[in-house]
Amino acid sequence: MVLKENLGIMGIVEAKVRAENMVKVVQHCFPLHWRSLHNLGSCVAARIVLEWDSQKFDVVLFQSSSQLLVVFVRDIVDDRRFYLFVVYGSTSMIERRVLWSEMRYAFAVIGSSAWIQLGDFNIVRSASERLVGYAAAASDEFNSCLTDIEQDDMPSKGLWFTWSNKRNGLGDNKSILDRVLINSNWLNLFPNNEAVVQPPGISDHCPIMVSIAFNIAQKRSFKFFNFWMANPKFSEVLKTSWAAVVQESPMFVLSVKLKRLKGVLREFNKKSYSGISSRVQMARAELTRVQERCFTNPFDATLGLLEKEKMKIFMELSLVEESFLKQKSRVKWLGLGDKNTRFFFHKMCI
């Protein structure tokens, strides 16, 4: 997802990564030039992990707690500076009061700067943001905090609800728990930014993308992918190409065979794997259409079953594509792209 969306910063909440596993997890999921921060000092397992591309951003820790990670960010390209909050609010109303106090404290210190908050606040702002179980008192406390810190929701596109309990029929419930909050100085700094609430895919929460800048075009080249070897036809393709006779000196024979094999593998890749991203896109689009219908018809059990079917197909195709993209990124990380640099907030699936 980092590679496909050309992300510059990625916030992950409910990460549940322990200290002894943090380095291994980060190295497995992100390229070497990316850096990370987390809130392990405030809890046994990291509830919040922040990753960023060090070739695009300088990031300095400002504040960390069990529900909040605040950093100061400088855009290396054009030197724009702002504060970024990644929030993972508690499910407890009492514990969330600590979060509201921390947000008020941050405002007292950096209120005149541009700042943005992304995350799972675990509370809605109004009755219209939840199908079942609206808690007016808790929402009032949240809204009071936002008034005090002079922040409001960034206008967003995409889905209305950001969380679903994934139940069918009368047991279904949906809410807006995840959101993007900004102040007026953020709008002055980034007047053309955009938030998009995307379909949840395999998670119970929807990812939220915020576009903020542009970058240069990327270069692509041919690579050997290890996952080819898992294809049952690969061995025969390799043997057939290598067995073709070349009548010259040993070094020349090796050179010719390698060059010929490169063309053979290009064709093999084209026949076996071309269009995998398009197929994943089509599967994602079908899943999205069903999920949008689920969100507008929350008590239709048939749609819930159809969503599970479409999700299974999407996951199977995505695993193939993910293997393709991961191998490519290990050989040479593509990093810069012609799409918008984005923040990415996503609630991991439990």
Side-chain angles (χ1 to χ4, degrees):
M1 184 170 284
V2 170
L3 179 63
K4 289 174 62 179
E5 297 292 343
N6 188 33
L7 303 183
I9 298 178
M10 183 176 192
I12 307 169
V13 301
E14 201 174 355
K16 295 185 177 180
V17 182
R18 294 184 174 272
E20 61 269 24
N21 298 325
M22 182 62 70
V23 173
K24 180 175 65 176
V25 168
V26 169
Q27 289 178 344
H28 176 73
C29 295
F30 296 90
L32 293 177
H33 65 273
W34 276 56
R35 301 291 179 265
S36 66
L37 284 171
H38 49 73
N39 67 339
L40 265 171
S42 307
C43 36
V44 176
R47 290 165 56 86
I48 303 172
V49 177
L50 179 71
E51 302 285 336
W52 70 92
D53 186 342
S54 64
Q55 296 178 352
K56 300 176 183 177
F57 299 100
D58 287 330
V59 176
V60 179
L61 178 65
F62 174 78
Q63 181 180 346
S64 177
S65 70
S66 62
Q67 301 181 74
L68 183 64
L69 191 66
V70 185
V71 295
F72 175 72
V73 182
R74 183 179 73 88
D75 186 333
I76 295 175
V77 176
D78 54 17
D79 202 37
R80 287 180 292 186
R81 306 173 184 217
F82 55 91
Y83 286 88
L84 168 65
F85 292 55
V86 182
V87 179
Y88 181 33
S90 171
T91 56
S92 164
M93 179 178 174
I94 296 175
E95 291 180 0
R96 281 197 303 271
R97 289 172 182 165
V98 177
L99 174 60
W100 309 150
S101 296
E102 292 171 343
M103 289 164 58
R104 287 184 172 99
Y105 166 78
F107 173 74
V109 178
I110 63 174
S112 60
S113 302
W115 52 314
I116 180 172
Q117 298 195 64
L118 303 91
D120 175 7
F121 291 82
N122 257 315
I123 185 64
V124 299
R125 296 191 64 181
S126 65
S128 64
E129 294 186 351
R130 188 173 179 87
L131 286 182
V132 182
Y134 172 61
S139 295
D140 288 344
E141 290 186 358
F142 183 28
N143 287 319
S144 175
C145 176
L146 297 187
T147 299
D148 291 344
I149 65 176
E150 299 176 4
Q151 279 205 315
D152 206 348
D153 289 293
M154 175 188 285
S156 62
K157 300 179 180 178
L159 298 180
W160 172 247
F161 294 113
T162 69
W163 171 84
S164 168
N165 63 1
K166 297 288 187 178
R167 295 177 185 172
N168 298 326
L170 296 177
D172 189 70
N173 194 8
K174 292 178 172 61
S175 300
I176 300 179
L177 301 182
D178 316 276
R179 62 199 332 127
V180 182
L181 299 170
I182 55 175
N183 65 352
S184 58
N185 289 320
W186 171 270
L187 287 176
N188 294 334
L189 189 62
F190 300 108
N192 299 316
N193 63 130
E194 171 182 86
V196 180
V197 180
Q198 299 188 340
I202 62 174
S203 176
D204 56 348
H205 284 249
C206 295
I208 302 178
M209 297 278 186
V210 179
S211 304
I212 63 168
F214 291 94
N215 255 317
I216 60 175
Q218 62 190 20
K219 296 181 179 179
R220 305 191 180 199
S221 59
F222 173 83
K223 298 293 185 297
F224 181 93
F225 299 110
N226 291 338
F227 62 82
W228 284 345
M229 294 184 287
N231 189 307
K233 298 180 181 179
F234 176 78
S235 179
E236 187 60 33
V237 169
L238 186 63
K239 289 178 181 178
T240 301
S241 174
W242 205 259
V245 178
V246 179
Q247 299 292 344
E248 290 290 345
S249 65
M251 287 303 297
F252 182 78
V253 169
L254 178 62
S255 175
V256 169
K257 287 192 173 186
L258 287 175
K259 185 176 181 179
R260 180 174 60 202
L261 181 59
K262 182 178 179 180
V264 170
L265 291 179
R266 283 183 185 274
E267 187 63 24
F268 171 74
N269 184 69
K270 182 178 179 180
K271 289 182 178 179
S272 302
Y273 299 101
S274 85
I276 183 62
S277 292
S278 297
R279 292 163 63 190
V280 170
Q281 271 189 334
M282 290 176 62
R284 180 188 290 275
E286 291 181 8
L287 175 60
T288 297
R289 282 193 290 270
V290 173
Q291 288 180 332
E292 288 174 342
R293 292 172 62 193
C294 287
F295 272 75
T296 55
N297 301 278
F299 304 118
D300 190 332
T302 303
L303 285 176
L305 296 175
L306 183 59
E307 180 189 15
K308 291 181 180 179
E309 177 186 337
K310 296 298 182 182
M311 187 180 296
K312 180 181 178 182
I313 296 172
F314 169 65
M315 289 177 66
E316 289 174 351
L317 291 173
S318 293
L319 287 175
V320 176
E321 185 194 35
E322 181 180 2
S323 177
F324 175 83
L325 293 174
K326 279 187 175 181
Q327 177 64 24
K328 181 187 292 186
S329 64
R330 288 191 191 103
V331 176
K332 180 181 179 181
W333 178 253
L334 299 180
L336 300 178
D338 56 3
K339 294 182 180 179
N340 287 346
T341 300
R342 300 170 186 266
F343 287 115
F344 174 65
F345 162 74
H346 184 55
K347 179 75 169 286
M348 292 183 66
C349 184
I350 300 174

